[in-house]
Amino acid sequence: MSRRTLAFVAGAALAAPLALAGTAQAGTAASSEYTVTPLKFTVAAGGRSCTVDADLYRPAGADAQHPVPAVLATNGFGGSKSDGSTDGIGKAFASRGYAGLVYSGLGFGKSGCLITLDDPKTDGRAAAALVDFLGGTRAADDGTRAEFVTQDAPGDPTVGMIGGSYGGAIQMATAAVDPRVDALVPLITWNDLGYALAPNNTGAATGVSSGTAGVFKWQWTNAFYLMGEGQTILSPSLDPSRVNSLDCLHFAAQACDTIRFLNSGRYPADRAAAMLDYARSVSPVSYLNRVKAPTLLIQGQADTLFNLNEATATYRTLKAQGTTAKMIWQAWGHSGGQVDGELDLAQGNLESSYVGGRILAWFDHYLRHEPAADTGPEFAYYRDWRSGYGTADAVPGLTRSMYLSGDGKLVDNRAEVARGSRQYTNWLLPTSHSESSLAGLIGLPDPKPYDTKGTYLGWTSAPLASAVDVVGAPEATIEVVSPKTERVQNSGDASDKLVLFAKVYDVAPDGAKTLVNRLVSPVRVPDVTRPFTVRLPGIVHRYEAGHRLEFVIAGSDGAYFGNRGIKPVTVVSAPGNTGVLELPVVGDTGR
């Protein structure tokens, strides 16, 4: 079975986490707290005219004399306005006195137009047309007007946006083209699709982006692609505006071209640059300078699709340019991780969850302008080793260094490094497994992370004398020797460069290993003749006393394309020339 076929099999299972789905809404609804009215909007998007399918949630008592602020939301990739979480947003905020406008994103549900990956020029402009409706300057296709929405100025509604994944990036795309949006709450979304779908964790230039083409994340990427192209099957009455061509059914042509290029496994320099340019052009990394709305970023710790580094890059960019921003790292993301008491948008447990309370306060402060609404600390993170969240004034920096010794030890003092060299050799098939496989995504048994002897190198610390709490993204600076790579790495094809995968295990006293949230750091080494620094995915984890840390570099991983050809790697260590692993260790203040 081909990789694409496997990915398509996983598509139905992926739709739920990508859309943050729960139970579906059925038709027009009414309660003592709000009414729901289905609406259609004809919009111009990407050179096409198409219909956006939406539901308007009107709180009881809201009218022109008693206006209320609005919340705008859309679905995750592959979902629709009727997903449990998307529908749940409308219900949750309408029952708390906000008007809600919830719609199916372009190309999904019963909305028309092509899938353009939350491009501001297309998806953002379409969302801005819905802001026009909330601002009273346009009506829905049936003539309905939102005369009960608070206005900051004529035609300028008081409106915030919330949603997850695909419904998270659309918020920044909309705010970039429409300054009328007053507050954003993006959950588990991306900073750069070039990084998310073909990550390279060395040589970061902007945000999480690297100047060297990344390592193709084939499982997730093809699942997205085939889910989008499968809209012909998933949508019973397909709108003609959603059809591109026989060669690229439902995506914008550049999106199809990018996926096919990644699947080719060959990356000539000019094509690789064009691929990265396109992926970034539709990503927040390219337009965050135009986002001025106060933004509460919420990212999931259990997320092999959009890891914590993505939100961190967005947060730092917003802060640096003076945009109000705060950040929360919750437990759950695209890879699971839901725990009791955490936010569940389908259930609308806003007051009873930490993250939900923060979201309510954010909107109460920036939409209702309630001075008593406390938007909370600058940074918060879920801790599974004690109840509740830890907080900090900033994302922790690197505070502890450990050194890669020639005898395979990870030592605390550079002077303890032993001279030595060790080697691994990759195979032409994957010999390491980290991220959840397609089997796990569709509910079948998924093997635990493993590395095959001879295809990786590991450095292990002594048992820890006391617990070590890591909050943030570790970094490793290493130097490798790979003569075969050195001979071909400047061929003009990035696929000739060395690919490796870095990760840190927690090793228990009985030898059992845990790869925190199954996160791995893919690297396409820019130049094997120079040291390079790898930024690992952010984690929040306590390494208990008596446990050991193991830093690993491996030659492959089953979720990614690997090396083209056999490329043996040697690592040489000496006291004056050694690799280093740096950890963002925090003190447990109990806050």
Side-chain angles (χ1 to χ4, degrees):
M1 186 178 290
S2 71
R3 284 177 168 176
R4 288 192 180 191
T5 304
L6 279 169
F8 187 70
V9 171
L14 285 168
L18 290 174
L20 313 181
T23 57
Q25 171 188 333
T28 303
S31 75
S32 60
E33 298 176 310
Y34 56 84
T35 59
V36 186
T37 305
L39 297 175
K40 303 287 185 184
F41 298 90
T42 300
V43 302
R48 298 183 175 215
S49 176
C50 58
T51 299
V52 172
D53 185 33
D55 285 330
L56 178 64
Y57 292 75
R58 179 173 181 162
D63 56 30
Q65 288 71 45
H66 305 89
V68 296
V71 172
L72 179 64
T74 188
N75 52 272
F77 194 91
S80 75
K81 69 175 187 179
S82 298
D83 295 331
S85 58
T86 314
D87 169 48
I89 289 170
K91 292 176 179 177
F93 284 95
S95 65
R96 291 163 176 85
Y98 288 88
L101 185 59
V102 174
Y103 70 100
S104 296
L106 299 185
F108 297 110
K110 295 182 180 180
S111 288
C113 277
L114 301 179
I115 301 168
T116 59
L117 305 179
D118 279 343
D119 187 339
K121 298 187 298 295
T122 304
D123 301 83
R125 292 291 181 191
L130 303 188
V131 177
D132 290 339
F133 168 74
L134 295 171
T137 59
R138 71 168 291 169
D141 289 358
D142 66 358
T144 299
R145 290 187 175 273
E147 76 285 350
F148 53 88
V149 174
T150 304
Q151 304 292 302
D152 296 327
D156 182 357
T158 305
V159 57
M161 295 185 73
I162 183 174
S165 194
Y166 202 71
I170 185 58
Q171 299 173 48
M172 292 176 279
T174 305
V177 300
D178 193 336
R180 294 175 296 174
V181 179
D182 298 295
L184 309 177
V185 183
L187 293 92
I188 63 171
T189 196
W190 66 87
N191 172 267
D192 176 13
L193 279 178
Y195 172 84
L197 304 182
N200 192 9
N201 290 280
T202 190
T206 304
V208 288
S209 307
S210 170
T212 301
V215 185
F216 183 36
K217 190 185 291 185
W218 71 268
Q219 286 190 3
W220 277 115
T221 306
N222 278 314
F224 272 123
Y225 174 61
L226 292 165
M227 194 188 307
E229 291 293 76
Q231 292 300 303
T232 304
I233 300 170
L234 300 174
S235 299
S237 55
L238 197 65
D239 184 334
S241 72
R242 293 171 62 169
V243 179
N244 187 357
S245 67
L246 291 177
D247 184 53
C248 183
L249 286 174
H250 303 301
F251 285 94
Q254 282 181 292
C256 289
D257 290 345
T258 298
I259 300 301
R260 290 168 187 155
F261 173 68
L262 289 168
N263 268 310
S264 74
R266 297 186 66 93
Y267 308 126
D270 57 340
R271 291 291 311 281
M275 179 272 293
L276 289 172
D277 287 347
Y278 170 70
R280 290 169 184 164
S281 74
V282 297
S283 298
V285 68
S286 293
Y287 56 75
L288 279 175
N289 63 320
R290 292 181 277 146
V291 175
K292 306 302 180 184
T295 302
L296 177 62
L297 292 155
I298 301 168
Q299 204 76 352
Q301 295 173 30
D303 204 320
T304 61
L305 177 59
F306 305 136
N307 65 44
L308 297 176
N309 296 4
E310 302 248 24
T312 303
T314 298
Y315 168 79
R316 286 175 170 158
T317 299
L318 292 175
K319 296 291 288 185
Q321 70 190 27
T323 299
T324 298
K326 294 185 177 182
M327 184 166 61
I328 303 172
W329 291 352
Q330 63 180 14
W332 60 265
H334 288 86
S335 304
Q338 185 73 44
V339 296
D340 290 342
E342 283 280 85
L343 173 68
D344 184 336
L345 289 173
Q347 298 298 320
N349 61 335
L350 299 179
E351 285 89 354
S352 62
S353 63
Y354 175 81
V355 173
R358 291 286 302 274
I359 293 170
L360 276 178
W362 197 257
F363 282 159
D364 286 349
H365 182 85
Y366 289 107
L367 303 184
R368 284 182 168 151
H369 307 294
E370 295 180 359
D374 182 0
T375 60
E378 191 71 21
F379 172 59
Y381 52 94
Y382 177 78
R383 301 169 298 185
D384 63 2
W385 63 88
R386 62 182 302 164
S387 61
Y389 279 72
T391 65
D393 295 331
V395 180
L398 301 170
T399 58
R400 179 169 178 173
S401 298
M402 305 182 80
Y403 301 94
L404 281 57
S405 181
D407 55 5
K409 294 180 180 178
L410 194 59
V411 298
D412 290 317
N413 191 320
R414 190 183 293 272
E416 298 173 5
V417 172
R419 294 181 181 275
S421 66
R422 296 186 298 149
Q423 184 183 83
Y424 72 81
T425 302
N426 67 288
W427 297 355
L428 291 181
L429 52 85
T431 55
S432 288
H433 177 66
S434 297
E435 297 183 1
S436 296
S437 69
L438 290 171
L441 291 171
I442 59 176
L444 298 176
D446 186 38
K448 294 180 179 179
Y450 65 82
D451 300 289
T452 301
K453 185 177 180 180
T455 66
Y456 76 99
L457 293 177
W459 291 263
T460 307
S461 74
L464 298 170
S466 59
V468 173
D469 297 340
V470 175
V471 178
E475 290 187 3
T477 300
I478 55 180
E479 187 171 3
V480 301
V481 178
S482 181
K484 185 169 183 179
T485 301
E486 189 175 345
R487 289 195 295 269
V488 300
Q489 67 178 3
N490 296 317
S491 67
D493 189 330
S495 57
D496 285 329
K497 294 183 181 293
L498 177 68
V499 170
L500 58 82
F501 301 84
K503 45 197 167 183
V504 179
Y505 286 95
D506 181 334
V507 184
D510 64 0
K513 293 184 177 182
T514 299
L515 183 60
V516 181
N517 289 319
R518 305 185 71 144
L519 293 166
V520 63
S521 184
V523 174
R524 192 180 299 278
V525 181
D527 184 351
V528 295
T529 67
R530 300 174 179 271
F532 55 94
T533 298
V534 180
R535 180 176 297 156
L536 283 81
I539 59 172
V540 178
H541 183 69
R542 168 167 284 182
Y543 293 85
E544 298 286 358
H547 286 225
R548 293 173 291 156
L549 283 80
E550 182 184 25
F551 174 68
V552 166
I553 57 171
S556 63
D557 193 275
Y560 298 83
F561 279 5
N563 288 288
R564 192 155 63 93
I566 303 297
K567 295 184 172 75
V569 171
T570 300
V571 178
V572 179
S573 297
N577 178 26
T578 186
V580 58
L581 173 67
E582 297 179 276
L583 302 168
V585 176
V586 300
D588 192 0
T589 64
R591 289 184 294 172

